[in-house]
Each structure stands twice: as structure tokens, then as C-alpha cells.
Amino acid sequence: MFGVLRNAKSTAGLCVITTLVCCAPGVMAESQSEAKEYTVSIASGSLSQALINLGSELKISLFFAEETVENQLVEDLSGSYTLSEIFQHLLRGKCLEHDFIRPTLIAITPGGCPRPETPEPTQKIAAIPAPSQTPSVPVENLIVREQYLTGSRIRQAEYGVRMPLDIIDQTEIRLSGFQDVGELLRYVPAVSGNSTSTLISNGGDGTATVTLRGLPANNTLVLLNGRRLNSDALRGQSVDLNTLPLGLVDQIEILKDGVSAIYGSDAVAGVVNIITRQDFDGLSIQAYSGQSRHSDRDTRNLSLTFGRTSNDLGAWYIAGGVTYYDQEGVLSRDRSLSATSDDRSRGGIDKRSSATSPARIGTSAGTWILQDGTTGALATDFRPATSEDRFEYRDFTSSIVPSERISAFLQGQMTFGEWESYVDVLYTETQATSYLAPTPIFTAFEIQPIVVSATQPFNPFGETITDLRRRVTELPHRVQVNETESYRLISGLRRGFSNVNFDMAMQFNQTDAIETFHNGINLANLSAAVSDGCLAPCVPINLFGPPGSITSTMLDWVGTDATLEGRSQLMALTFDVDWLAATLSTGDVEVSAGFEYRYESLESDPDAILSNQLLAGGGNRSAVKADRDIFEVYAELLLPLTEVSSPQRLDLQLATRISRYADFGFQVNPRAAITWQPLDALTVRSSVARGFRAPSLLQLFGSTLQSFKQLNDPCSQAQNVTSFVGCDILSDPTLTQFLTLSGGESSLEPERSTTYSLGAVWQPKLSKRHDLVVSADWYLIEQKDVVDSSAQFVINQDARLGAFPDRVFRNADGNISQVLATLQNIGRREVSGVDVTASWQFDAEAFGRFTLALNGSHIFLFKDKFDPDSPTIDKAGTFSDEASGGLGALPEWKWNLGLSWEYGHWQAYYNIYRVSDLEEVVPIVMRERTISSWTTQNLNVSYLGPMTGWIRTTIGVNNLFDQAPPFSAAAFNDSYDGRTYDITGRYLFLNLTKQF
């Protein structure tokens, strides 16, 4: 990434603009830095733009006065060179010099031109100045400081080794082939659990989230350019990553440590900081197209970015861009893994629906279904229903959701003397469309059960029917459309003094969302249509006939659409300052402090169908309107403890944040970290931090939400009826989805946590052709007062022990009619693991430069305790589906191994991604089985050179060997976990980028 810091200083009537291209973390010895070779492709053109592009590509810091490079041109350069050789080429004949202030911080200054010789007096030759000669520009009091890295408000070049920080830069993003933030983050080893994306259809809402350490998404704080974002407008739990276009992202920083002391609530598992492209000078156009080998999931992305810097009328900078993203979907029936929900042949169960077409009807004489070729007018038209009489809903469902997004951003900076004002604007519009099977009717299991009258015109049995299950195939498949509009505006003022930098800003974020359900059933009208008092305009409905027996007139009466609207807002006022407090014999004492005021609000407005609980199949809810104020102050101190001359180095970092929530009062969260460098090549780092997570507004004030979760009823197994306290009657084994009521609770308290970490970074000094960095970090997160809701746990405890009698409701047949699973502060968690990274660069001289990189995450334990009376369960290495109230996939190992090659105009990247096997419990039969490990491989090649007119061309194949996801018997969607794996298959893409 790169950013620009401009300090205008008036010197001899000349305004000097200092540009700082910020570097990525990592410090090497100066001799290594100057000797190390880099593969570059520099196009001919502006020197200023070439320097900015060079800093961005090589992750080095440059500063120079704009006047010294203005109107200077360079010739193209391609190949592998040291930094000194690169700058000798760029600055040749321009009366400019380069100077290594630090290994990765280089100054471009006037100089290097010999004084013109004085001609002999006898010669009459006019003195002609060299056209490229630039007058010496004195720069006084120039102080260059590094950028802020995620996890600290102190700018330190060495800070990248103090905390476990992963950085995904623009090159990695381009070579990955991924085109949205959520999908890219899903392949990060530290991410596991129930993150959502457009890969989730049934139960999804078109949003994308990230879940570090397998903890819920609201335990990971998502930032944009170091600042908070508002939550999703409908679910209100965490930031929707789909509102952040990847085409405008420069790099992503992932901090794998708890830092509530720096950022406040939600930073329990870590922080994901998404940094957009900044200080771009020129015009860039990027076009992307990709398609699976099945000729579906066509994806197109077009991005345009422009920027302009000027020194006229004061220094100013303006940049903007627009990106358009369009992804077509994948249907369940188009992949062999997801084509059927009958998993018995694969070691699972039959999950086809008992809501069939024609209807499955329970009477006093048994359960019946219509015989082929009959009308259903007589009771003799029906035969006994069997276990094979089920409905295959996956003939209609989408596996990957079609989605469309458009985003635009604008940013500007203006310098007035020592002051700099800035503004950032981001707008995003998204749409996602999910396809579900036609609406099912379960008369006995709606929140208000529906009774078919004995005298209803189409009832042939002559008795009241309470359990009728019918799939209304006469209606088209259900369609759920999610649309959002997000706005973000930041305006601020900053100034840098000799030793002090401060920044004050105002921020406004708003997301408006609409969720529309098409082709639903109005329960009130349905109830009237099956009663004996259906008078006009009511139209009696025929639920007993064959498919097609429900006429268009009947559908006009019972059919309906439903709409849910929501709005989420975040307004903030911040003031941050950092300064060099003192210079001691041990080094510089750095301090930062700040104040933040935030206002959060959430509104949810369902239409009359939803608010009156009238939509069949769930999704009903009531209105929500809530807000709160938050005041916070923080301070951070970096204190060196050893003498500068000492061969060792020991630093102490202390931080604390005091928060006052209008609904929770004061919260204090301290953090302490120690960095010890016993050897030049070895750094040891350790930290301990307190953290907390304030319940979201939806968790506090959210209304009761209806859903049909996939749950296992232990009482459907004959052996449990006699052995389990809560199982008096054998329940129906064909029922696998139950009406579940979840919702908020205003008495919730914050979740509290303590995070410990211990790690080391090893950077041995190898030869100039080799560069090796290895790190390992152990972590432990202890949480208490966890806000949780598990319908499956409630059912299990009710069946086995007779617990929760006020939360599990059964009808006279012993079937579960309703489960109440509202939120409570009753959980405890303990999560421990280790992250391992390694990077080895090797210069093969005539064969280019190779880099081998490993990033892996291992979970030692994931102890989960739902309530004080329940046993502690270690879920490391297991899978339990979110649709059943589970935490998703928690693989013991997840890793990426990549090999990259750079030579001249060429780049190539080969990647292996692996998820270890998992243990799961097969629903209903409660048998344990193993989900196989999954390994995919990607291969991508990139070229930038004259053969393509200096258009960077990237061609790639993801999932090179077309590996299907492993089968999961417990997965609700498509027989695999779409939050961990991808069902797309082999995927080919082309990415073209042209800079002007």
C-alpha cells in the first residue's frame, strides 16, 4: 500500500511538498536492502508517477520535493536490479540523488550534477544551462515518520514485528482471481467458522462477514482505512463486506490479536483493516472476466481509478473511482454434490422435505398421500404415505447467489500552510437474489396452527385435519431479493508539528436495506381458505388434489409478497494525537492519545405481512428502533527499556481505553505488550489484553424472529423414548426442520474476554541472494458471559434431562411444534491455537526471483460451554452447521502454501490451500463420521510489457484440478459447508489493467 503525507513548508518563497510513500512492515539491515534485487517493470513517462508506483510495488518508503521531479521523464526499465541500480537509472542526468535514510526509507534530493566549467576568456561561447538541472531546494525541519499500522496509533517502522499482522497487498489480490472481499478473506487460515457470503443461499441475505478464530462475526472488528463502519442494516450483527468493493482496495491488514484497548468493542478475535487506494496519480482501468468449467458463475468486474496532484493555489490532491461487479449464480441441481438432498448413499440421511406435492396428510387413521392418476375428491384416492414420499427442494434452489454491485469513491486533500484538510466519500449499491423452492405449508407447525375444517369443500376425509404438509408448486419458486445502499462521508483536519501529529475528523455512515420475499403464502388468507366459513372475497383452496389443483384464482387469494426495510447509522467525532514524548538513552518514548464519540442507531420496519406473523415458512418479525451514545478515551505508550548501544532491545507497550456506553456504563480495557530482541535476527513478542464486546442493538432490542432451522429431535429415535426423560412419545422422524423463535433481550450484558499471546519472528542474515522470515504465535482467548442461543442444545437438554420445559413445545403427537431460543449471557469459551508463517526469497539470477511462502493456523482447543449446568465440549476439529445453531467448521489445520516467480516482465503464482478433515454428527441417527480434508490448487500468470502495449495481463485457473467440496451429512445447504468450501469447481479468469 502507499499513502501520501504532505507537509507544506515555505522556504525562500518556494512551497515544498513532501511525498511519503508508506511501506509495509519489515526491516532489514541496510547492507541487505541495498544488495537485494527487485524485479521491476517501469514504463516510460513521468518520474513522479514512476516513483509513486515503485514505492507501491516494492513496499518501500520514498520522499521527495515535488518541484525537484516536476516535468522530469524516465525511460522504461525491466528486469532484476538492486535499489541503487534502479535509482541510478531513474535519476540519471536529472541532477538528483538518492540517499538511504533507513533501509526501506529513501530520500530523493537535489544534487549530483557537476558545476559547469568556466570557459577560457578567449572563447566566446554562450553559457547554456543543462535543461534538466534543478536549483538546489533547501528543506528545513523535514521530519519523516512511518504510517500507522493496524493495532496501534503510534507510527513506528519496526512495529510490524511487534504484533501478528498479515498483509494482503494489491499484487496478491490481483493474482488471487477473487473479486470480492468476503471471498478473499475466506481463504485466510485464521478465518474459520460461520462467516457468510454470496456462497450461502438458503439462510443467507446477500451479505458477507469475516470470522477470525472461529468466533462469531461480531467478535472481529472491521475497519476501513483505520476507521469504524456501521453494521449491516437488517441483521445488525457485523459489517457487510459486500459494501466494500475489492476493486478499490489497495491492501488488507489482518491483526490476529485482541486490541480492545486501541479500538474498543468487537476487537476480541482481531481486526481486519481494509485500506483503499490512495494518492493515485494518473488513470487506471481494470477489467476482469471469469467463468467456471460448467459455464456458470460468470463474473465481470470493471474498475476505473483516477487521481491528480497539483501545487497551484496551494497543494491539493483529488482522486476518485468507480467499480462495477456482476456475478451470476450456480444452481444446486447443476453440481452432483448438491443435486439431491437424499444423502443416504453417501453416509447421511434423507433430508428431502416432508412438505410434498401432492400433500402429505395426517388423519386419525394414519398418514396419507394421493395416488397417481386420481383427483383427491374421494378418501379412496389416497394411499398410506411412505418414507420415500418426499419433495426434492434442490431442484429449485440456488447454491451460489447471483449478485450485482456498483461503488464509487472520491477523496481529496488540500494543504494550507501547516494544515491539511481532507474528505473521503464512498457509495455502494448492492443487490443479491436467492432462489428457494416453492413455499411449503406445514399446518401444524406455524406460529398460529392452521386447521382444515371437516366441511371444507375440498376435504374428502370428513374430519378436521391439523397436520397437512403441502408444497405449493403452482406458485413459482420463492425469490428473496436483498438490496442495499451504503453511504460514507469523512471530513477532517490534520497538522504535523516537529514532534507532534494530530488529526480530528467527523464521520457519517448509513446503510439502507430492503429485503423482499416473492411468491409467499399469506397465512391469514390460507387459514380462511381451509375453514368452513370462507365467504367472498375469500376463495376456498384445494390442498388435497394433484399438482395443478390450486388454480390461479386460489393463488390470487393466498399468494403474497413481503418486504422488510432497515437502516443502520454510525456517526462519529474523533480526535487523535501522537507525539515523540522524550528521547532517552534507551531511545524514543512514543505516546498517542485520543477521544471518540459515536452515535449508533438501527431501525427495522417490516410490512404488515411480516409484523403480523402472516408469512408462511418463517421470516416474520416486528419493528425495531434503537440507538445509543458512546464516549471513549484512550492512551498508548511505547517505552524502550534498554540502552541504544545495547546489543539487545527490550520495549514495553502499554495501552488502555475507557468507554462509556449509554446502556452499559463504563468499561475499562487495558493491554500490555513486550517486545524483546535478544539477537539481531530474533524478535520475541508477548501480550496480554482485556477485551469486551457490547451486544449489538439488534441483540438488545431485536424482535422475535421466525425461522425453520434444521434440528435433530432425539425423541424421533425409538431407543431414546424409553431412556430419555423428556421423550414420552416417538416423534415423526421425517421432520427435520422446526419453527424456531429467536430474538433479542434488553437485559444482556457485555461479553468479556482476556487474550494472551506469545510469539517469535526469526529473520536470519543470509546471503544477498536469500531472504528468510519465519514467525510463530501462540494465542489463548478466554471469554465469559458469552451471548448465545442454541436451539439444538435446548432440544437435547429437554429430551435427555427434561430441562427447558418453557422453551420446547410439543403437540399431542409428540412432535416439536416450536422452539424458543432467545439470547442469554450464559456461555463460556476458551480458544487456543498457533499461527505459523514463513517466507523464503531466493534470487536465481538468470532464472529470476522465487518466493516460497507458508501461512498456517492450528486450533489446539475450542472449548464451548453453553450454560453453567452443561458440559464443556471441545469443538476443535468439528463441524456443526449454523442452521442447527452450531459454530460451523473449526478445522484443526488450515493453511496456504504459495510459490511465486518474478522475471523481467513476467510474474507467476502457484498456490495450495488445504483444510484438514473434520468430525461431525449425522442428524437423527446421531452417528459420528469424518468430513474429508479438502485441497485446492491455483495457478496464475501475469505479464506487463511491450507485447501487450504495457497492459498488465493476468490469466489464472483457480481450483486447477476441479476438486469438489467434501460431503457433509450435517450441512443444511447443498450437502457441504458453503462457508468453508467452494462448489464452483475449476474456474478460469482474465484480468487486464492499463495505467496512463
Side-chain angles (χ1 to χ4, degrees):
M1 64 164 291
F2 66 93
V4 174
L5 170 69
R6 292 183 171 83
N7 294 319
K9 298 188 179 293
S10 178
T11 307
L14 180 64
C15 182
V16 179
I17 306 298
T18 302
T19 301
L20 171 64
V21 180
C22 299
C23 63
V27 178
M28 64 187 78
E30 183 172 346
S31 60
Q32 285 182 302
S33 178
E34 294 187 38
K36 178 181 177 180
E37 289 191 354
Y38 297 85
T39 301
V40 296
S41 295
I42 300 173
S44 58
S46 163
L47 172 60
S48 175
Q49 185 60 50
L51 291 172
I52 292 176
N53 293 342
L54 185 69
S56 174
E57 182 175 353
L58 302 186
K59 301 298 182 288
I60 59 176
S61 300
L62 306 174
F63 73 88
F64 51 87
E66 291 280 4
E67 288 79 3
T68 63
V69 301
E70 191 174 17
N71 300 323
Q72 302 275 18
L73 301 176
V74 296
E75 297 179 356
D76 62 271
L77 176 69
S78 296
S80 297
Y81 305 93
T82 65
L83 287 177
S84 293
E85 291 171 339
I86 293 171
F87 286 110
Q88 287 172 6
H89 170 83
L90 293 176
L91 307 181
R92 184 181 299 121
K94 298 178 175 59
C95 298
L96 296 173
E97 296 178 326
H98 73 280
D99 183 28
F100 283 85
I101 295 178
R102 285 198 296 273
T104 55
L105 179 58
I106 303 158
I108 310 297
T109 57
C113 284
R115 293 178 179 272
E117 297 182 3
T118 304
E120 296 292 334
T122 55
Q123 294 176 324
K124 297 184 178 179
I125 300 176
I128 303 175
S132 61
Q133 185 168 346
T134 305
S136 177
V137 179
V139 180
E140 301 175 357
N141 271 338
L142 177 61
I143 294 178
V144 179
R145 309 190 64 198
E146 300 295 337
Q147 69 178 50
Y148 300 110
L149 289 176
T150 302
S152 177
R153 302 287 188 177
I154 294 175
R155 308 190 213 206
Q156 285 285 308
E158 301 89 353
Y159 203 85
V161 300
R162 299 180 188 276
M163 304 179 77
L165 187 70
D166 286 350
I167 294 182
I168 306 173
D169 62 22
Q170 198 173 69
T171 300
E172 293 176 280
I173 294 172
R174 172 172 49 81
L175 291 174
S176 74
F178 301 127
Q179 292 300 295
D180 67 72
V181 175
E183 185 177 13
L184 178 69
L185 292 177
R186 195 160 53 95
Y187 289 88
V188 173
V191 175
S192 57
N194 281 328
S195 56
T196 61
S197 71
T198 55
L199 297 180
I200 304 299
S201 178
N202 194 348
D205 59 0
T207 64
T209 60
V210 58
T211 53
L212 290 173
R213 308 299 190 204
L215 297 175
N218 51 31
N219 284 247
T220 298
L221 179 62
V222 177
L223 305 174
L224 181 62
N225 296 326
R227 300 182 186 274
R228 281 180 172 264
L229 293 149
N230 59 314
S231 63
D232 163 41
L234 293 181
R235 303 300 180 259
Q237 298 293 331
S238 54
V239 173
D240 178 12
L241 298 176
N242 287 338
T243 62
L244 308 175
L246 189 61
L248 304 180
V249 173
D250 187 71
Q251 90 176 24
I252 300 175
E253 297 178 355
I254 304 170
L255 177 64
K256 300 173 291 186
D257 202 1
V259 283
S260 288
I262 304 298
Y263 297 113
S265 178
D266 301 346
V268 174
V271 178
V272 174
N273 188 12
I274 298 168
I275 300 169
T276 58
R277 302 183 68 178
Q278 300 181 28
D279 303 292
F280 180 80
D281 198 355
L283 176 66
S284 174
I285 299 176
Q286 176 178 319
Y288 171 96
S289 180
Q291 187 183 79
S292 79
R293 77 167 184 88
H294 299 272
S295 299
D296 55 15
R297 205 187 173 183
D298 292 10
T299 304
R300 293 165 291 276
N301 197 355
L302 180 64
S303 297
L304 183 148
T305 308
F306 68 90
R308 174 70 186 278
T309 301
S310 176
N311 299 328
D312 300 331
L313 303 177
W316 57 268
Y317 169 78
I318 188 170
V322 63
T323 179
Y324 173 75
Y325 170 90
D326 181 28
Q327 171 191 275
E328 295 183 4
V330 173
L331 297 175
S332 301
R333 63 175 182 261
D334 290 338
R335 297 292 187 274
S336 59
L337 175 63
S338 57
T340 178
S341 53
D342 185 357
D343 295 328
R344 288 174 293 180
S345 63
R346 298 180 284 202
I349 62 171
D350 188 354
K351 290 185 287 191
R352 291 177 298 166
S353 175
S354 61
T356 56
S357 178
R360 184 186 185 97
I361 304 160
T363 71
S364 58
T367 303
W368 308 90
I369 196 167
L370 189 67
Q371 298 186 72
D372 293 340
T374 60
T375 64
L378 302 173
T380 55
D381 289 347
F382 294 82
R383 63 171 173 81
T386 71
S387 60
E388 295 302 314
D389 292 317
R390 295 202 178 190
F391 180 81
E392 183 55 81
Y393 53 85
R394 289 188 190 165
D395 289 339
F396 303 87
T397 59
S398 54
S399 183
I400 295 178
V401 178
S403 59
E404 187 176 11
R405 304 165 207 156
I406 186 168
S407 300
F409 84 99
L410 181 68
Q411 61 183 25
Q413 301 171 12
M414 177 72 75
T415 303
F416 302 94
E418 301 288 339
W419 295 88
E420 180 183 79
S421 62
Y422 60 91
V423 62
D424 290 326
V425 180
L426 175 65
Y427 170 81
T428 304
E429 184 177 321
T430 73
Q431 178 176 303
T433 305
S434 302
Y435 301 111
L436 304 173
T439 298
I441 294 174
F442 293 88
T443 61
F445 305 105
E446 297 294 344
I447 193 168
Q448 293 294 331
I450 296 172
V451 177
V452 183
S453 171
T455 57
Q456 202 262 354
F458 299 100
N459 184 351
F461 292 99
E463 66 177 77
T464 299
I465 305 295
T466 59
D467 186 1
L468 183 149
R469 308 173 196 179
R470 170 69 144 86
R471 186 72 60 162
V472 187
T473 54
E474 290 83 357
L475 275 175
H477 56 259
R478 286 170 291 168
V479 180
Q480 176 183 313
V481 181
N482 289 90
E483 301 171 284
T484 69
E485 283 187 300
S486 294
Y487 314 83
R488 177 177 171 90
L489 171 65
I490 298 174
S491 179
L493 192 66
R494 55 190 169 214
R495 179 174 178 176
F497 298 93
S498 58
N499 290 324
V500 181
N501 294 277
F502 76 83
D503 187 330
M504 53 186 177
M506 294 183 294
Q507 177 181 345
F508 174 77
N509 297 266
Q510 178 173 304
T511 300
D512 295 314
I514 299 178
E515 185 172 80
T516 305
F517 304 90
H518 297 286
N519 303 322
I521 296 292
N522 183 321
L523 290 175
N525 288 1
L526 176 64
S527 182
V530 296
S531 70
D532 55 5
C534 181
L535 302 176
C538 174
V539 179
I541 188 170
N542 184 4
L543 297 179
F544 298 88
S549 62
I550 302 178
T551 66
S552 59
T553 304
M554 299 174 186
L555 292 176
D556 289 342
W557 172 247
V558 299
T560 188
D561 292 343
T563 302
L564 172 67
E565 298 184 10
R567 169 171 291 180
S568 169
Q569 284 187 341
L570 170 67
M571 291 180 278
L573 175 65
T574 60
F575 179 85
D576 301 292
V577 58
D578 65 276
W579 70 94
L580 177 63
T583 300
L584 308 177
S585 59
T586 56
D588 293 338
V589 179
E590 302 274 354
V591 178
S592 70
F595 163 83
E596 181 173 2
Y597 164 75
R598 295 198 307 275
Y599 170 79
E600 299 176 353
S601 68
L602 181 70
E603 296 182 36
S604 178
D605 185 19
D607 65 7
I609 293 292
L610 298 176
S611 60
N612 290 308
Q613 317 291 311
L614 297 180
L615 183 66
N620 297 297
R621 68 193 70 198
S622 57
V624 175
K625 187 171 185 179
D627 59 20
R628 66 182 170 201
D629 296 288
I630 304 160
F631 295 86
E632 297 184 300
V633 294
Y634 75 90
E636 182 183 7
L637 169 70
L638 182 61
L639 179 65
L641 301 178
T642 53
E643 297 292 327
V644 174
S645 58
S646 172
Q648 299 187 6
R649 181 165 182 175
L650 184 64
D651 293 338
L652 174 66
Q653 182 206 6
L654 298 174
T656 190
R657 192 178 191 95
I658 302 174
S659 307
R660 184 192 179 279
Y661 279 69
D663 41 5
F664 297 118
F666 286 95
Q667 309 289 330
V668 180
N669 294 282
R671 183 179 188 274
I674 292 179
T675 306
W676 178 42
Q677 191 173 9
L679 304 170
D680 286 344
L682 179 64
T683 301
V684 180
R685 56 198 182 195
S686 181
S687 69
V688 58
R690 290 285 303 277
F692 84 108
R693 189 192 70 82
S696 68
L697 292 173
L698 191 67
Q699 287 181 321
L700 289 167
F701 305 108
S703 62
T704 300
L705 171 65
Q706 294 181 25
S707 61
F708 277 85
K709 288 188 175 295
Q710 181 190 8
L711 302 169
N712 305 321
D713 182 7
C715 298
S716 65
Q717 299 296 300
Q719 65 271 21
N720 295 337
V721 174
T722 56
S723 59
F724 284 3
V725 175
C727 296
D728 299 326
I729 304 175
L730 182 66
S731 61
D732 187 348
T734 66
L735 283 174
T736 58
Q737 286 182 264
F738 301 96
L739 177 63
T740 305
L741 305 182
S742 58
E745 175 54 61
S746 60
S747 63
L748 292 176
E749 293 293 328
E751 299 175 341
R752 304 183 187 279
S753 64
T754 304
T755 302
Y756 306 89
S757 69
L758 176 63
V761 182
W762 183 47
Q763 297 176 286
K765 296 181 180 179
L766 305 178
S767 68
K768 69 176 184 179
R769 294 171 56 191
H770 297 264
D771 187 10
L772 176 66
V773 180
V774 179
S775 72
D777 291 276
W778 167 84
Y779 66 89
L780 171 64
I781 303 172
E782 296 177 336
Q783 287 183 292
K784 62 180 182 179
D785 299 327
V786 173
V787 176
D788 204 353
S789 169
S790 174
Q792 186 62 64
F793 177 83
V794 169
I795 289 176
N796 290 345
Q797 294 298 94
D798 176 76
R800 293 173 183 174
L801 305 175
F804 303 113
D806 56 342
R807 288 179 171 267
V808 179
F809 302 93
R810 297 178 181 270
N811 60 22
D813 296 326
N815 296 322
I816 296 174
S817 58
Q818 190 179 122
V819 182
L820 180 62
T822 51
L823 297 171
Q824 304 174 72
N825 279 107
I826 53 177
R828 295 182 70 93
R829 288 198 184 107
E830 183 179 345
V831 184
S832 178
V834 64
D835 299 315
V836 179
T837 65
S839 175
W840 175 52
Q841 288 189 341
F842 172 66
D843 185 357
E845 296 184 337
F847 299 99
R849 174 175 294 276
F850 294 86
T851 301
L852 182 65
L854 170 70
N855 189 352
S857 186
H858 176 57
I859 301 177
F860 289 135
L861 59 88
F862 198 110
K863 292 184 177 180
D864 199 31
K865 188 179 180 69
F866 182 75
D867 69 21
D869 298 324
S870 66
T872 299
I873 302 173
D874 186 0
K875 296 183 178 179
T878 68
F879 169 72
S880 52
D881 198 283
E882 188 274 341
S884 301
L887 292 171
L890 302 171
E892 291 185 346
W893 274 107
K894 187 178 178 185
W895 53 261
N896 268 307
L897 179 65
L899 175 65
S900 63
W901 169 70
E902 298 175 87
Y903 180 74
H905 301 284
W906 294 90
Q907 287 180 325
Y909 181 64
Y910 174 68
N911 168 262
I912 302 174
Y913 170 73
R914 183 175 177 84
V915 179
S916 63
D917 56 24
L918 296 157
E919 298 299 319
E920 67 173 352
V921 176
V922 180
I924 298 180
V925 298
M926 305 305 289
R927 181 184 69 250
E928 292 189 359
R929 66 174 301 275
T930 299
I931 301 174
S932 302
S933 61
W934 190 57
T935 303
T936 61
Q937 301 173 58
N938 306 329
L939 177 63
N940 310 309
V941 179
S942 181
Y943 173 82
L944 174 63
M947 287 194 303
T948 58
W950 297 100
I951 297 175
R952 183 179 291 279
T953 303
T954 303
I955 300 175
V957 183
N958 287 347
N959 198 349
L960 184 63
F961 297 105
D962 199 26
Q963 292 296 308
F967 163 71
S968 169
F972 176 61
N973 276 306
D974 297 323
S975 300
Y976 82 103
D977 177 25
R979 293 171 169 83
T980 305
Y981 314 99
D982 186 356
I983 204 171
T984 302
R986 184 183 298 117
Y987 190 81
L988 291 83
F989 69 88
L990 171 66
N991 195 335
L992 304 175
T993 304
K994 174 66 174 178
Q995 292 190 355
F996 300 90

